[in-house]
Every structure is written in C-alpha cells, then in structure tokens.
Amino acid sequence: MEQSRNSIVDIWGPRTPYIGTWPERIDMQLAEQPDTWVQSACVLCSNGCGLEIGVKEGRIVGVRGRADDRVNHGRLGPKGLHGWVANNSADRLTKPLIRKKGVLVESSWDEAMSLIVAKTKEIKRKHTAGAIGFYTSGQLLLEEYYTLGIIGKAGLGTPHMDGNTRLCTATSAAALKLSFGSDGQPGSYTDIDTTEAILLVGHNMASTQTVLWTRILDRLAGPNPPQLVVIDPRKTYTAEKATVHLQPRLGTNVPVLNGLLHLVIEGGTIDKDFIDKHTVGYEELKKVVSEWTPELVENVAGIPAGDLRKAAKIVGSSSTLLSTALQGVYQSMQATAAAVQINNLHLIRGLIGKPGCGIYQMNGQPTAQNTRETGADGDLPGFRNWDNREHIEELAKLWNVDPYIIPHWAPPTHAMQIWRYAEQGSIKLLWISATNPAVSLPDLAQVRKILSKEDLFVVVQDAFLTETAALADVVLPTAIWGEKTGCFTNVDRTVHITQKAVEPPGEAKSDFDIWVDYARRMEFKDKDGAPLVKWTKPEEAFEGWKQCSKGRPCDYSGMSYEKLLSKNGIQWPCNDNYPEGCERLYTDGVFHTSADDCETFGHDMTTGAEYTPEQYKAADPQGRAFLRPAAYEPPHEQPDDDYPFWLTTGRVVYHFHTRTKTGRSKALQDAAPDAYVQMAHEDAAQLGISDGELVKVESRRGHIEVVARLGGISPGTAFIPFHYGYWDDSERARAANELTLSEWDPVSKQPHYKYAAVKISRITGEGKPSLLEKAGTLLESIKEKIIH
Amino acid sequence: MHIGNYIGLVHESEKDLAEAFEKVSKHHAAEPDVYQMCQKLSSWSANHVLNLQPFIKRYSEDKSKEPDNLKRSLFSQPRSGSLALVRDLHDLWLLANEVQLCWVVLLQAARSLRDKELELACEQFDAQTQKQLEWLMTRIKQAAPQALVVAE
C-alpha cells in the first residue's frame, strides 16, 4: 500500500503557506500499483476535487489528486482518498430485485422494467401523471438529471420531481434567486487566494469541505493572512481558527446577521455608489436592521455585544471579503432569510464580482448544482422561470412538444410535499434514485410508514441494499462513480468530467441507461412522433444540454467532452464570450433580475407567498440586485421543562450522507464508527453522565441511544451526527433523524434539522428503552429478504 | 358619523379570522407548513384586535354580528379528505378579504378625519392582511391540482 500521507490522522495534510497562487501538493492513496490512470473528480463532498482513478486488472486500486486542477491543485481529503474502496464492496447489488409475497427476489432486467412500465401506465391511466413522483439525489451526473428532467416534465408531465437536494442545497438556490434573480454562485474558489477577510456562517468547512479548508489553512500560514469570523454554536475545527468566533443560540442567525449589517451601516463603510446604481431596497433594509443593536443581539442570540462589534469591524472594514454559508444556515430557522442577509452584506459593501469577494452559498453534495440547472428537482432546466410563459415555450420548442405537457401551473412540487402526497395516497408511484431517505429525512418513523404503504409502489435505484431499498417494491442495481461517464459541477461553477474506469459489478447499470431504457419502453414521443429522449449515450445528452443551456446564465454551449478532458475543470458560463469559462459572475454589477430573464418573481420572506408576474413587472429592477430585509421569527419548537435541551444535527469529517459508501471503507468507518451525542460538561455533570457513557436522547418524535461525548458545545445544546442508520448496526435506535422535526423553511422548503427540543438521560438497567420496531430488525430482515 | 359601525365590523372580522386560522391550523396539523403558517397568521390577526383597542375607546363601536354569520356559513361543514384543505383555505381567503375591505374603508375615514394614528394603523394592518391573502392564494394554487384532479 502506498499513501502520500495518513489523511485519517492528518486530515488536512502539511501546510504550503501562500498568498496569490496556491502551491500544488499531490495526495495519493493506493492499495496496489495501477496499470492505468483514468480522469475523474471526487464525489464525496461539494468541493469537486480533480483526481485520477488508478485501475489494475479491471479493478479500482486507488486515487491521486490532479495537480493541474483549478479546484484542488492535487490535494484530496480523507473521504476522497478512502471512499473509492466502496466500489469493490462484496455487498454491491448485482441483479434487479422484485418484491414477491413480501420478500425481495432476484429478477431479470426485462421483468423489472416491464413491471415498472406496466405500473406507470396503469397509474397514469387511472390517476394522471400527478400520481407519479421522482425523488432523486445530489449524487447523479448532469446527463442523468437532464434525461430524467425531460422524461418527467415532457414525457409523463408530472410536477412531482425533487430530491434530497431539498435537504442540502435548496436554500442556496433560493437565496441566490431572491438576491440576484437567478441561481448561480457569484464567486470563485480563487477568491480565497487573496481575500483579506472570511465570514463563515453555519459552515464547518474544516469537516465538510476539507480541501477548501486546506486552502484557507495555507493562507493562514502565509503572509498577510485573512481574518476569520466564524458563526457557529459549536467549537468546531473551523471555529478553532477564528479571529472572532460568535456562538449564537440555535435559530438566531437572522438577529446576528441583522446586528452585523446594522453595525456596518452605522460604521459608514458601505458603498453608496454601488447601492444606488446596482441595488433596490436599501432604505427598507436599513430600517429593519437598525433595531438590531449589539445589546438586543446579545439578549436574543446570547452573543456578547463586544464580540459582535469585533466581528463587524472585520467584515465592515476589509477591502475584500469572502463569505460562505452551509447547513447551519440552510437547515435552521429562517433559512432563506438568513442566507439572503449574507448576500446583503456583500451588496451594501459593493464587494461582489471582484477578486477576493466571493459568496459561496455552498452546496452539500457534489452534483447538487446540476439537478438545479437541469430541472430534475423543483426547478426548470436552464434556470428558467416556471411562471414565465416564454420560458415554457422555449423548452417546448427545444423538446418539440406541446407546451401544455410541461407542468407550469404552480412551482414544481417540493420534496416534503411529495412525501406528504405519498402519505395521503395521491402519489402512488415513488421512484427514488441514489439516496437514502429512510435515514436522511426528518422524523424517520413517519418515513418508514410511508415507504411501507401497501398502495405506494416504490422503485429504488441504488448500488447497495440501503435502509430505503429494503422497503422498496423494485430495486434496480446501479453503476456508481468510476463505472460510468458524465459531468458534474461544483460550488464555484467548475464543470468536471468523470470517466468510466471499470465495469460495474454483475448486471448493474448506470442511472442514465436505466432512464433511457424506461423512456424507450414507455414510447415517449415528441410532436413529430420521434423519440422524446433523443440519445442513448451520455455525450449525446451533454450535447443536448448545451442547446438547452445556451443563452441562459448556466451556459455550457462552449464546452465539449473533448475540451473537458484536455482542460480539466471549466467554469460556466462557457460560450462565445467566455470560451475558457468565466471566473466570476456580476463583474459589471448587472444581475439576472429583469422580468424576462429572472428565474423567479420572488417570495415574501416571512410567509413564502409567491409574487405574481404582474407584481414583479410593476417594479422591474432591470438588472439591479435585491436587498431583502428580514424580521426575526423565533424557532417553532423550543426547549421546555419536558425536553430541556436544544438538539442540532450535522456531519463528521470521515463520513458522507448516510455512509452508504464511506461506511464501507474500513479506514473511514474505523475512524468514526458510531453515532454520539455531544454535550457540555456542565449539563453532563448535572445529569450524572460521564464521557463515553451510553445515554438515551428523546424528542416528541422518537428516541435513540448513543454514547455521550463531552465538551466543545454551549451548555443547553446537544449535537448528534446524522450519518448513522441501521444497515450495519441494527442493535439499537441510533439515527439522529428519529428525533428531528418535519417542518421546513417557507421559501426554500428546506427542512429544519438544526433545532428540536430533546431530553437526555442515563440508561439504567430496568429503564432500558425497547428497540425500534422496524429499524432495529432491518439488517436481519435485509439478509432474509434476498433470495439468490 | 358611522365610523363605529366599521370599527365594530373590523373588530369582529379580525377576531373571527384569528379563530379561523387557529381552527384550520389544528384541523390540518398533519400539513406542517399549514400548521405553522396558520398559527403565525392567526397571531397577526389577534394582534390587530389588540391594537384596535385605543380606537374603540376613541370612536366607540357598534357591535356587529355580520362576521359571525359569515364565518358560520363558510366553515359550516366538518371536512375531511384532501379537498378539505383547499376548501378551508378558500374560506380563510374569503374571510381575509372581508377584513381587508374593512381596513380600506376605515383608512379612507381616517384620512378624512385627519386621524394620523388610525391611518397608520389601517395601513399597517392592511399590509399584513395582504400578506395573509398572498400566502393563502399561493397555497391554494399549489394544493388545487392534486386535490381536484389526482386525489381519490
């Protein structure tokens, strides 16, 4: 075995201090010496690091970072270096499974696909396409999303298409749309190379995007390091490096950010000229934030007034500023409202579209950006506006279909509503791909109930028999990363190609091939009777996508597979104006807000009510950005006598999502083998709980048993990582989402995972809680359910 | 002067609207967004009722039974099934329109009386009622196709 460093122990690797150009450092992890190297990029977080897959005798034997890649300059994180091992797992699914008399039985592809097609036709005939829903992922490739988008929107004509990206990235998209008129990240990762100050809000970058954090660590070790402001209730790896660390009470992001905006405006370091020329809404913003004095913020959010002033001095006085946000904002109370305040900070200081002045409204998953672009989720392809007739006509013309087939009478149905329709019985076919809602959705008892419903036909595409697949009616075995070719796009709009390096195991097929086959079997046609899906290969789909995106903000028309293979990592828009890609958006201060261009006509920030085209056109900002203020709304569930602790959930550095892959890598699994609850020493002492003791955590939804880990968190607050389900340990209830709330942000519809009220207690002999009925016995039953 | 007539009318209408939002919230508690938002919007109307007190003292009010009759006829049947949500939001929208019209009429009177305090209150409450209506319309539009076309 060869490794460039032990990334389990040394997560970020040795420092290469710099300012300006980030030095290269090649990270590598090999089990054996490869015969060949195949170009790809990493899919184990949203950073999008360029890498090569090492192949020997048809098997993946390791990875190494690509030094010439603009994203990582050769580096890889622990997940990237060790996650590939999962491809070679012995428990990969290799044949389709069909539930017969209650058990999953191996079948042929023809039998499985025929059954799905027959079910689709029967359900559509009886109940319309409104009875069919798709729940996808942030893990598929661009070509797969776009193909599915066409099938759903122009083949079946269902409005019910969304995915787990609703849990990870919906607020990012919503905030970008509300401020700038369209989705699309304004900045570039190269902004880290020169920036003077960095504001991280609810974003533990050190754990979630380790290579991006390495870039910051290298700046911190170099000349003229940036000052860091970190807003996070926990003392995270990220917070340890902060110049100022603000630890707010859960659910108080808006008061803290309003307080910062107030101090910046009061300090007079705003760019009045930029505000006048390029924004609308400044006076209203000023009025709303003026109430938020440091004293009031201290009172509501628990942050010392002096600390807020120190933070405001940094973000208000630096000549460049880079801001990032992630789930601490997106999955908390007032998610969109808070994310928008970060955009506001940059707009009032005129710090956008310039080097060092990026805003990263981060994505949680590697390909989340692509489902937003191509319309496999609650968006329309090419950032088109569902409420703009001309945009619908454009799509209809492109696909050569009647515009009326494309659902556009309301916004595409968001994920939580899709699940609700399935629960109520009006959605009768739910097709889940590359994700594991039985561990990742809130309130898991409810999710298991829905998936087990007799009148819901559940199709699951996955590489493994996940907790979700175990409850499906049909399971389709899929090829994964390294076994298929396609493209995906990261947070700074960098598009990578990932190539097929090895064959998938057994009869597993790519999601792309499965949907192309489904479209063929369903005989979806365009207006002239030609096949609706006009391709059978990913590269042809990419060419189709280029046409769809041409002229839109996410313009891929200047790219090709050949170009992506020769110059790894190209940022969109890439077209005649920007043949090599475009580093930053909005360099001219002109935004995508004019009525004919914008992706949304906007929402009321408090209620989420949609504004009408008429309302929007009456005050068309014509390219100016929106400054949108937000008043504070307290969290809906708060600790009380019965449930005295705040619960927040999140990630650990060694795992991704529900560990479907990372849990099958021995190095990663050994590094973080089980769930735990982090709590303050003071709280533990009061309850008589010692470090490492198994405790019971209960909410109004359910309970789990996890080990207590003490310290690094504010008193009154508890943290549990959400990765752990039941496929590899069904001895006890341990999934954090047994406890979480089923409710969501009114604008982005992203669920609120970052607060719930819980109680924590010692487990005594006679009081030991019983096992979860379904989850607890899942693993045993999984094995019994497959008949070879 | 008949301003007391409309003070009484808006007082009762807002009270009824607050109660109706509360009732619909509980009735559709399985829809988390409806539950949360109706709770919030109910509190807005309840707050309008509270803030109306100084104007009731100033102008006195004629007790009105009209809104109660309206509310009774709107929410007359206990409803279940997926159509129920659309029908309940529909009736909330009708009630909220009654409220909004009252604020417009009172706003006109306040201007004529040069009562700046009442004018400001009417403007603020009207704006919040408008937000209630916009949310109701958005949610009705979202729910209608599934309830009317797909659900059994």
Side-chain angles (χ1 to χ4, degrees), chain A residues 17-37:
Chain A
Y18 84 113
I19 184 170
T21 303
W22 194 23
E24 293 172 1
R25 185 192 85 198
I26 296 176
D27 291 342
M28 184 167 68
Q29 187 77 38
L30 293 175
E32 293 174 64
Q33 272 307 320
D35 306 325
T36 52
W37 291 98

Side-chain angles (χ1 to χ4, degrees), chain A residues 486-722:
Chain A
C487 297
F488 65 96
T489 308
N490 76 349
V491 175
D492 84 339
R493 294 170 284 104
T494 300
V495 183
H496 282 110
I497 189 165
T498 174
Q499 287 188 294
K500 180 174 175 175
V502 297
E503 290 298 325
E507 296 175 25
K509 282 187 188 181
S510 71
D511 300 85
F512 180 86
D513 286 340
I514 293 170
W515 284 322
V516 166
D517 184 39
Y518 175 69
R520 184 184 60 79
R521 288 169 184 264
M522 285 295 297
E523 299 178 73
F524 294 127
K525 301 280 191 251
D526 70 9
K527 272 200 298 202
D528 299 326
L532 175 70
V533 174
K534 302 193 188 313
W535 45 74
T536 55
K537 294 189 176 65
E539 188 167 4
E540 295 161 1
F542 188 80
E543 291 299 315
W545 167 244
K546 281 163 62 178
Q547 285 178 32
C548 182
S549 66
K550 191 173 169 65
R552 295 300 300 159
C554 52
D555 194 336
Y556 285 64
S557 62
M559 295 185 204
S560 65
Y561 271 22
E562 195 187 346
K563 201 161 170 178
L564 285 161
L565 283 168
S566 65
K567 187 193 173 193
N568 201 23
I570 302 174
Q571 289 172 288
W572 64 248
C574 176
N575 49 26
D576 293 342
N577 292 337
Y578 304 101
E580 300 305 316
C582 178
E583 192 164 28
R584 288 179 191 84
L585 305 183
Y586 312 129
T587 50
D588 54 0
V590 179
F591 300 88
H592 292 294
T593 53
S594 62
D596 58 350
D597 187 21
C598 65
E599 192 180 359
T600 174
F601 293 126
H603 304 255
D604 182 87
M605 295 264 276
T606 310
T607 64
E610 307 264 351
Y611 294 141
T612 64
E614 295 73 29
Q615 275 174 302
Y616 195 88
K617 283 171 188 163
D620 189 340
Q622 296 181 325
R624 292 171 189 227
F626 290 97
L627 291 166
R628 297 186 194 261
Y632 170 54
E633 304 272 345
H636 297 136
E637 183 173 274
Q638 306 210 20
D640 53 23
D641 290 346
D642 294 334
Y643 297 91
F645 289 95
W646 283 110
L647 167 72
T648 183
T649 66
R651 287 139 187 79
V652 300
V653 66
Y654 302 107
H655 286 301
F656 190 74
H657 207 60
T658 60
R659 296 180 311 117
T660 307
K661 285 169 80 173
T662 54
R664 288 176 168 90
S665 161
K666 188 171 184 307
L668 295 170
Q669 179 60 17
D670 287 352
D674 202 354
Y676 60 88
V677 56
Q678 182 182 14
M679 56 193 296
H681 286 284
E682 301 90 307
D683 293 334
Q686 231 174 28
L687 296 167
I689 291 169
S690 47
D691 202 18
E693 182 179 342
L694 195 68
V695 297
K696 180 180 175 186
V697 186
E698 260 174 291
S699 78
R700 290 182 174 85
R701 272 74 53 193
H703 69 260
I704 61 172
E705 297 167 43
V706 284
V707 163
R709 278 200 202 165
L710 309 187
I713 193 164
S714 307
T717 311
F719 167 85
I720 304 175
F722 81 95

Side-chain angles (χ1 to χ4, degrees), chain A residues 75-146:
Chain A
R75 291 162 189 79
L76 294 173
K79 291 191 285 287
L81 288 166
H82 292 282
W84 58 269
V85 172
N87 281 61
N88 300 334
S89 294
D91 61 343
R92 287 285 300 273
L93 291 172
T94 56
K95 279 178 85 75
L97 307 171
I98 297 176
R99 186 172 300 281
K100 290 177 182 169
K101 291 183 188 152
V103 292
L104 289 168
V105 180
E106 285 186 350
S107 79
S108 69
W109 273 100
D110 190 53
E111 191 188 354
M113 293 306 290
S114 299
L115 176 61
I116 294 169
V117 167
K119 276 280 178 189
T120 308
K121 286 183 174 168
E122 183 199 338
I123 288 168
K124 193 180 172 205
R125 183 168 47 79
K126 283 193 192 155
H127 309 283
T128 78
I132 298 167
F134 290 89
Y135 186 76
T136 59
S137 170
Q139 300 284 318
L140 300 169
L141 301 176
L142 185 156
E143 296 80 353
E144 297 174 323
Y145 291 125
Y146 186 48

Side-chain angles (χ1 to χ4, degrees), chain A residues 160 420 426 604 633 743, chain B residues 31 36 40 131 138 146:
Chain A
H160 310 315
R420 175 66 183 145
S426 71
D604 182 87
E633 304 272 345
E743 57 165 61
Chain B
E31 314 285 345
Q36 295 294 355
K40 192 196 304 275
K131 286 188 177 208
T138 298
Q146 197 74 5

